[in-house]
Amino acid sequence: MTKITLSLLLASSLMIAAEVAQDQEKLAADITVAKAQKSAAEAKLKSLEAQLPQNQEIITHVKLGYIKTDGNANTETFSLDGSFKKAWEKNSATIIFDSQYGEAENVENKNKYFFELQYAYAFSDKFSFTYMLGYKNDKFSSFNYQAYTGPGAKYLAYKSDKQKLDLEGSILYSQDELQAQNVIAPNNAITTYGSYQAKLAYELQILSNLKFNQDLSYRASVEESDKYFFLSTSALSSKISDIFSAGVSYKVDYTNKVATGIQQRDNTLSAFLSLDY
C-alpha cells in the first residue's frame, strides 16, 4: 500500500511539473509574440507620425538680461535676444536676434545688435540644407555694419534624452563698411569678400529644471587669414514655470582685426529672464 501511495505521489508530481513547464513555455512564447507585435506597432506609429506635417505654429524664445553695479564703478548692461521659428512640412524659417546696450558712469559704452534669418530644408531627421542672411551693427567697433549671406548645411550630430549637439557650416558672401575714422581713402570704406562660417549649438539637461546651453560661431575671410570673428554664448537656466526660466549668461564677442584703440574682445555677463511658448 505504501509503495502504491508513493508511486501515485511521484506520478502526480511529474504531471504537475510537466504542466508548469508547458505553461512557462507558452508564457514565454506569448511574451515573444507580444514583443514582436509591440515593435511592429511602434514602427507603424513612427511611420504614420512622419507623414504628418510639422508643427506650423511659431515657436518663440525671448530672453531679457540686465546687470547693474554701484560703488566704485556705476555700470548698467541690458540685453535682449531670442528667436522665432516657423515650420511647414520639411521647411522652416528662423529669425535669431541679439541686442546689447551698456553704460559706465552714465556714459554709453556698448550699443550693438545683430540678426540672422535662416531658411532650412530637412532632407532627413539629421541633415538639412540651409540659406542664411545676417547683419550686425556695433557702434563701438571698427565697422558701421557687417552683412553676409550664403548657403550651408546643418547636421544633428548627437541627440539623447539629456543632450543635443548641432553642427552647421556655410559659405558666405560678406560685405563690411568701416567706420569713418578707420577709412584711409574714400573708396575703401566698403569691402566685399568671400567667407565661411562654422557653428556649434550644444544643450545639456543637467536636472529636470536645470539646463546648460553653449553656442559657438566662427566666421572668417577666405582671402585674409587674420580677418575672423568669434562669438560664444554660455547660459545656465532654470525653469520657474511652464513658460518662464531664469538664469545667467556670458557672451564673448571677438574680432581679430580691429582699428587702433578698439578692443578685440567684448564680454557681457548678465542675469536673464526668458520666455518660451
Side-chain angles (χ1 to χ4, degrees):
M1 186 65 179
T2 301
K3 291 182 179 181
I4 294 174
T5 302
L6 291 174
S7 299
L8 290 173
L9 288 173
L10 179 61
S12 299
S13 299
L14 292 173
M15 291 177 62
I16 292 172
E19 290 177 358
V20 170
Q22 290 178 355
D23 290 341
Q24 290 179 343
E25 289 178 1
K26 185 176 183 302
L27 181 60
D30 289 343
I31 290 174
T32 301
V33 172
K35 286 182 176 179
Q37 292 175 342
K38 179 184 177 182
S39 298
E42 289 177 345
K44 184 176 180 180
L45 179 60
K46 186 176 181 179
S47 175
L48 293 173
E49 287 177 341
Q51 298 176 37
L52 291 172
Q54 295 184 18
N55 183 7
Q56 297 186 14
E57 296 182 354
I58 296 177
I59 301 173
T60 303
H61 172 74
V62 179
K63 187 163 57 180
L64 176 64
Y66 178 71
I67 287 289
K68 178 177 175 62
T69 63
D70 293 310
N72 294 324
N74 298 317
T75 65
E76 281 188 299
T77 302
F78 303 87
S79 66
L80 178 66
D81 62 89
S83 63
F84 302 96
K85 182 177 181 179
K86 169 76 172 180
W88 67 99
E89 298 179 351
K90 294 184 177 182
N91 306 273
S92 66
T94 306
I95 297 175
I96 301 171
F97 63 93
D98 189 349
S99 59
Q100 298 177 37
Y101 179 83
E103 292 182 355
E105 302 298 338
N106 298 319
V107 177
E108 183 183 66
N109 65 355
K110 182 176 294 188
N111 188 340
K112 65 180 177 180
Y113 62 89
F114 93 93
F115 78 87
E116 286 184 352
L117 172 62
Q118 185 181 87
Y119 165 78
Y121 180 86
F123 290 103
S124 67
D125 293 339
K126 289 192 172 185
F127 183 76
S128 301
F129 163 81
T130 62
Y131 192 91
M132 176 192 302
L133 172 64
Y135 180 88
K136 181 178 180 180
N137 188 303
D138 188 349
K139 183 177 179 180
F140 295 92
S141 71
S142 298
F143 307 93
N144 282 329
Y145 71 81
Q146 295 174 273
Y148 48 92
T149 185
K154 188 175 183 178
Y155 179 67
L156 177 59
Y158 181 76
K159 185 177 182 181
S160 67
D161 293 339
K162 292 187 177 182
Q163 299 183 75
K164 182 181 178 182
L165 175 63
D166 283 311
L167 303 176
E168 184 177 344
S170 301
I171 302 298
L172 304 171
Y173 170 81
S174 298
Q175 179 173 292
D176 300 340
E177 182 180 77
L178 294 171
Q179 293 179 351
Q181 63 268 29
N182 303 318
V183 176
I184 299 173
N187 62 352
N188 77 342
I190 297 178
T191 59
T192 58
Y193 55 96
S195 64
Y196 61 92
Q197 179 168 267
K199 281 187 172 185
L200 177 152
Y202 173 73
E203 64 179 52
L204 171 64
Q205 193 72 44
I206 302 173
L207 299 172
S208 60
N209 66 336
L210 184 64
K211 181 186 289 188
F212 171 76
N213 290 85
Q214 177 65 61
D215 295 318
L216 300 174
S217 174
Y218 178 83
R219 182 166 57 89
S221 167
V222 175
E223 296 91 352
E224 301 178 62
S225 60
D226 62 341
K227 188 174 184 176
Y228 60 86
F229 312 90
F230 174 77
L231 179 64
S232 170
T233 303
S234 307
L236 192 64
S237 60
S238 178
K239 277 280 189 183
I240 56 178
S241 73
D242 291 341
I243 61 173
F244 287 105
S245 299
V248 292
S249 68
Y250 184 67
K251 299 178 182 179
V252 178
D253 191 349
Y254 180 87
T255 301
N256 186 61
K257 193 174 182 179
V258 297
T260 303
I262 301 294
Q263 295 291 327
Q264 291 177 303
R265 180 169 173 167
D266 186 23
N267 304 329
T268 306
L269 173 66
S270 64
F272 66 82
L273 179 68
S274 65
L275 172 67
D276 294 274
Y277 64 93

